[in-house]
Amino acid sequence: MARRKKIYEGKAKILYEGPEPGTIVQYFKDDATAFNAEKKDVIDGKGVLNNRLSEFFMTGLNQIGVPTHFIRRLNMREQLVRNCEIVPLEIIVRNYAAGTMSKRLGIAEGTQLPRPIVEYCYKDDALGDPLVTEEHIAAFGWASQQDMDDILSLALRVNDFMSGMMLAVGIRLVDFKIEIGRVFEGDFQRLIVADEISPDSCRLWDIETGQKLDKDVFRRDLGSLTDAYSEVARRLGVLPKSNVAKPTLIN
Ligand code: 5GP
């Protein structure tokens, strides 16, 4: 069998040339990294869970008209996606204070924000993905004003969709990061949601107990990462519900 051409290997995924022009195979690894790869481990099964969860979220977004790169899942660890040119920004949407926002502004983790706050970081591992303003983005030509309008609208639509999905299963969407890609259709370019949406890139807290069900479990040594991700997948119906008693039929 011919070997596939590897295009790029990142911290959590490998990209291979896809079977048709304009496509890419995205392979989810079990590697977990945090703090700009200062903390590393291999977590059995993480890649399988993120492949399924990202498929679930991207499919839902496609269905409500939010364009994403997702085409179809190929197997346990791989999905076929549209090739796109990644905008060099991490788009972060926050509903509650946590992580770097809490540190930077001295706001207690878990404080509800007056409205969703969107932040932009410049994608550069060597610099630790620094926070940037729209001034930097415009001045350095990373995205146009029209792109920024579209990116904001996509980010807020993803936030509404994800918040609702999570609320329905008793999980609070604290914050998340997405990446945006450009695709060219004839003379036009379109922006689509790319990369992945998974507990690696979101903060997810159980609404009742506050238990963390996301990558902070790894970052902060809070227990088993696969147990946390499996819990999210089980609640969303992405994994078969094992050990769940059958409902009792009355009459
Ligand atoms: P913070 O800025 O508080 O570290 O992160 C905000 C949100 O964006 C969190 O949900 C976090 O998981 C996500 N995030 C920020 N940077 C990255 C990144 O480089 N990779 C991933 N997977 N998620 C990130």
Side-chain angles (χ1 to χ4, degrees), residues 100-200:
T100 57
M101 173 183 249
S102 288
K103 279 209 193 84
R104 205 179 311 114
L105 302 180
I107 305 173
E109 286 214 315
T111 306
Q112 187 166 17
L113 300 172
R115 60 182 176 86
I117 294 179
V118 182
E119 296 176 348
Y120 305 101
C121 293
Y122 179 53
K123 259 172 73 69
D124 187 318
D125 281 342
L127 299 175
D129 301 334
L131 186 68
V132 292
T133 68
E134 290 193 53
E135 279 287 287
H136 296 107
I137 296 167
F140 297 124
W142 296 325
S144 68
Q145 188 53 55
Q146 177 64 55
D147 291 341
M148 291 311 290
D149 292 347
D150 293 348
I151 288 173
L152 180 64
S153 152
L154 284 172
L156 293 176
R157 290 186 74 193
V158 172
N159 187 41
D160 283 348
F161 172 78
M162 292 291 294
S163 294
M165 294 294 291
M166 291 301 174
L167 184 63
V169 296
I171 295 174
R172 171 166 297 151
L173 178 66
V174 173
D175 58 31
F176 65 93
K177 181 262 308 185
I178 52 169
E179 296 189 17
I180 299 290
R182 289 177 210 284
V183 286
F184 297 92
E185 289 162 359
D187 286 344
F188 296 97
Q189 75 137 36
R190 216 152 67 99
L191 296 179
I192 61 176
V193 179
D195 190 50
E196 72 176 285
I197 301 179
S198 75
D200 263 10

Side-chain angles (χ1 to χ4, degrees), residues 27-228:
Y27 175 98
F28 287 76
K29 301 197 282 186
D30 280 342
D31 301 27
T33 63
F35 313 117
N36 208 6
E38 275 171 37
K39 181 176 165 119
K40 285 186 203 166
D41 207 346
V42 175
I43 314 273
D44 251 357
K46 180 177 86 86
V48 173
L49 284 160
N50 281 351
N51 186 27
R52 294 297 294 259
L53 282 163
S54 203
E55 170 194 19
F56 179 77
F57 298 128
M58 298 274 186
T59 302
L61 286 167
N62 283 340
Q63 282 169 349
I64 63 162
V66 177
T68 80
H69 72 161
F70 182 81
I71 301 172
R72 65 178 182 277
R73 186 166 58 82
L74 297 171
N75 54 48
M76 297 279 276
R77 288 185 181 273
E78 294 178 330
Q79 47 184 245
L80 188 69
V81 299
R82 285 187 75 173
N83 190 9
C84 54
E85 189 182 283
I86 295 286
V87 175
L89 298 172
E90 293 193 337
I91 323 297
I92 294 174
V93 184
R94 299 179 187 271
N95 299 304
Y96 294 81
T100 57
M101 173 183 249
S102 288
K103 279 209 193 84
R104 205 179 311 114
L105 302 180
I107 305 173
E109 286 214 315
T111 306
Q112 187 166 17
L113 300 172
R115 60 182 176 86
I117 294 179
V118 182
E119 296 176 348
Y120 305 101
C121 293
Y122 179 53
K123 259 172 73 69
D124 187 318
D125 281 342
L127 299 175
D129 301 334
L131 186 68
V132 292
T133 68
E134 290 193 53
E135 279 287 287
H136 296 107
I137 296 167
F140 297 124
W142 296 325
S144 68
Q145 188 53 55
Q146 177 64 55
D147 291 341
M148 291 311 290
D149 292 347
D150 293 348
I151 288 173
L152 180 64
S153 152
L154 284 172
L156 293 176
R157 290 186 74 193
V158 172
N159 187 41
D160 283 348
F161 172 78
M162 292 291 294
S163 294
M165 294 294 291
M166 291 301 174
L167 184 63
V169 296
I171 295 174
R172 171 166 297 151
L173 178 66
V174 173
D175 58 31
F176 65 93
K177 181 262 308 185
I178 52 169
E179 296 189 17
I180 299 290
R182 289 177 210 284
V183 286
F184 297 92
E185 289 162 359
D187 286 344
F188 296 97
Q189 75 137 36
R190 216 152 67 99
L191 296 179
I192 61 176
V193 179
D195 190 50
E196 72 176 285
I197 301 179
S198 75
D200 263 10
S201 52
C202 302
R203 281 199 173 90
L204 305 170
W205 297 355
D206 181 88
I207 287 180
E208 294 286 320
T209 64
Q211 188 194 352
K212 295 187 192 334
L213 298 169
D214 56 62
K215 201 165 135 187
D216 276 349
V217 170
F218 170 72
R219 294 187 188 103
R220 304 180 189 190
D221 293 318
L222 299 176
S224 159
L225 194 72
T226 38
D227 283 359

